[in-house]
Amino acid sequence: MWHNTKVTRLLGIDYPILQGPFGGGLSSVALVTTVSDAGGLGGYGAYTLSPQEIYELDRQIKTSTDRPYNLNLWVSDTDAPDGQVSEEQYEQAQRIFKPYFDELSLPFPEKPAPFQSRFENQLQTVLDIRPKVFSFLFGTLSADIMEQCHRAGIRTIGAATTVSEAVALENSGVDMIVATGFEAGGHRPSFLEPAEVSTIGTFVLLQLIREKVKIPVIAAGGIANGRGVAAALTLGADAVQVGTAFLACDESNALPIHKQMLFDQAAHHTILTRAFTGRLGRGLTNRINKDLTSREAHTLPFPLQSALMSSLRKAAIDQQQWDMVFFWGGQIAPILKHRKAQQLMQVLIEDTTTYFDDLKV
């Protein structure tokens, strides 16, 4: 019974398959509902939402499914001291990025306004609505917050990119840890060391963490079919988190061109870059991140780089200049086959079952 694991028992789900909780507007209620109704755990990345938007999102999900689901936030949602950038930082970024704005006939943006962290208010909202599962990135939570989650019956999941981060998360009191390998699409959720030196592959990281912690471990990165699920479980994972394969499904909120590119030749080439948000993340290689490989030190800190690039992204989409738009995606994208989340879940379950049945023969 491969699907009867510590994670399925803790979360009250049928299969140890979690959908990656995409941020930046890429999640959708439809995707969360489909995965949860199929026996997995749907997830929604809410780090850009206001408290009121999170309340409304939670209402929509609860209206759509009575199964467990996961809300995800970022413990650290800014890298800018006092939420600001200096004139020198802004001028350096202008020198690097202005040619791309000129190409699209856009004025270069003014220096981004100071950013105020939203996490404290978002966290209070999560404590109020009490989702079955609350996952978080980029840090640990205080002992007081962990105790409030436990009293409220909220299961907690933290993300680690190194063994040291996994140990820190276990010591903080989380229920489960996502071991996030460098193959994964999206941001690298490193918090103890720079993301650039925290690039361990999923299956190595999984085994290293498994040796050091006692709580359940969820493998994430480079998993998109039954063989990947079976491999992770065989190496000690109690569940898997599947990101890019679900992002490519019709139910996600990614742009149609984004989904199409995940099935095209473009998906064979991904890159870790800070150029578009200020934090290191993996997506499909394009002209801008290739141009700036050696100059990313001059991007603005997160999330002010995102603010700076937002008008460029919109104009590039409007003008269909796809080589100037950054599309998230993991290294596993070239093997994707399914465009419907229900079908993807069914195939993941069936293929994993077949794999373990064959081992018994």
Side-chain angles (χ1 to χ4, degrees):
M1 299 292 287
W2 65 268
H3 47 81
N4 183 14
T5 73
K6 292 178 182 178
V7 167
T8 58
R9 294 191 293 272
L10 278 171
L11 302 185
I13 58 178
D14 299 326
Y15 300 98
I17 300 172
L18 285 63
Q19 170 237 316
F22 319 122
L26 297 175
S27 291
S28 75
V29 173
L31 182 58
V32 172
T33 299
T34 300
V35 174
S36 289
D37 283 350
L41 185 76
Y44 200 108
Y47 81 88
T48 60
L49 303 183
S50 68
Q52 188 55 48
E53 288 171 329
I54 295 175
Y55 281 119
E56 175 58 22
L57 166 67
D58 182 70
R59 186 195 65 78
Q60 291 178 23
I61 295 174
K62 286 176 176 172
T63 300
S64 300
T65 182
D66 59 0
R67 302 301 303 269
Y69 59 93
N70 166 33
L71 287 182
N72 178 269
L73 294 177
W74 290 16
V75 175
S76 167
D77 58 1
T78 179
D79 297 329
D82 301 320
Q84 302 184 63
V85 295
S86 67
E87 287 296 333
E88 181 182 3
Q89 287 177 301
Y90 173 70
E91 289 169 2
Q92 287 175 331
Q94 185 175 34
R95 284 194 293 271
I96 293 172
F97 291 99
K98 189 174 185 300
Y100 302 107
F101 284 83
D102 291 344
E103 185 175 334
L104 296 180
S105 301
L106 289 176
F108 194 77
E110 296 181 1
K111 188 171 72 170
F115 178 82
Q116 299 295 321
S117 174
R118 296 170 287 200
F119 177 67
E120 187 173 334
N121 290 335
Q122 292 171 329
L123 178 60
Q124 185 57 55
T125 304
V126 170
L127 293 171
D128 290 343
I129 63 180
R130 300 186 178 191
K132 177 72 174 182
V133 185
F134 167 44
S135 67
F136 53 90
L137 307 176
F138 294 108
T140 60
L141 298 176
S142 69
D144 176 63
I145 295 300
M146 295 305 300
E147 177 60 27
Q148 290 185 60
C149 288
H150 292 156
R151 286 202 306 266
I154 301 170
R155 295 297 186 181
T156 54
I157 305 176
T161 63
T162 65
V163 174
S164 296
E165 290 174 352
V167 171
L169 285 164
E170 182 177 47
N171 290 341
S172 75
V174 296
D175 295 304
M176 290 156 276
I177 295 168
V178 174
T180 306
F182 85 128
E183 302 95 329
H187 286 99
R188 302 291 302 139
S190 305
F191 60 92
L192 289 182
E193 295 185 277
E196 284 84 354
V197 299
S198 304
T199 51
I200 307 173
T202 299
F203 290 138
V204 171
L205 181 64
L206 167 62
Q207 294 174 84
L208 295 176
I209 290 177
R210 186 71 283 165
E211 290 287 319
K212 295 295 183 180
V213 305
K214 295 181 174 63
I215 60 177
V217 180
I218 301 159
I223 301 171
N225 58 23
R227 284 175 296 179
V229 176
L233 297 177
T234 301
L235 290 173
D238 299 284
V240 300
Q241 182 169 283
V242 177
T244 300
F246 281 119
L247 181 63
C249 289
D250 291 345
E251 292 86 353
S252 91
N253 206 31
L255 292 172
I257 184 63
H258 185 173
K259 297 173 188 176
Q260 184 58 46
M261 290 180 76
L262 290 173
F263 288 99
D264 290 345
Q265 187 64 29
H268 288 257
H269 305 282
T270 67
I271 191 171
L272 287 167
T273 180
R274 291 181 179 270
F276 293 89
T277 70
R279 279 187 176 172
L280 194 69
R282 184 177 297 282
L284 306 188
T285 303
N286 67 15
R287 177 159 61 95
I288 294 178
N289 54 48
K290 283 194 294 187
D291 289 349
L292 301 180
T293 299
S294 62
R295 294 187 288 167
E296 291 194 354
H298 299 305
T299 57
L300 300 184
F302 179 89
L304 302 180
Q305 181 69 16
S306 294
L308 183 79
M309 298 293 281
S310 61
S311 62
L312 181 74
R313 174 181 171 83
K314 182 180 184 305
I317 291 172
D318 290 343
Q319 299 178 35
Q320 299 186 15
Q321 298 294 319
W322 307 127
D323 64 344
M324 300 177 73
V325 181
F326 189 53
F327 295 114
W328 300 108
Q331 290 183 327
I332 200 66
I335 74 166
L336 300 185
K337 295 181 175 63
H338 305 289
R339 297 177 185 267
K340 295 292 185 181
Q342 172 68 38
Q343 183 184 30
L344 174 59
M345 276 294 295
Q346 181 179 348
V347 171
L348 288 171
I349 295 164
E350 290 176 352
D351 287 356
T352 306
T353 300
T354 297
Y355 179 87
F356 281 110
D357 285 346
D358 288 346
L359 289 180
K360 299 174 185 176
V361 175

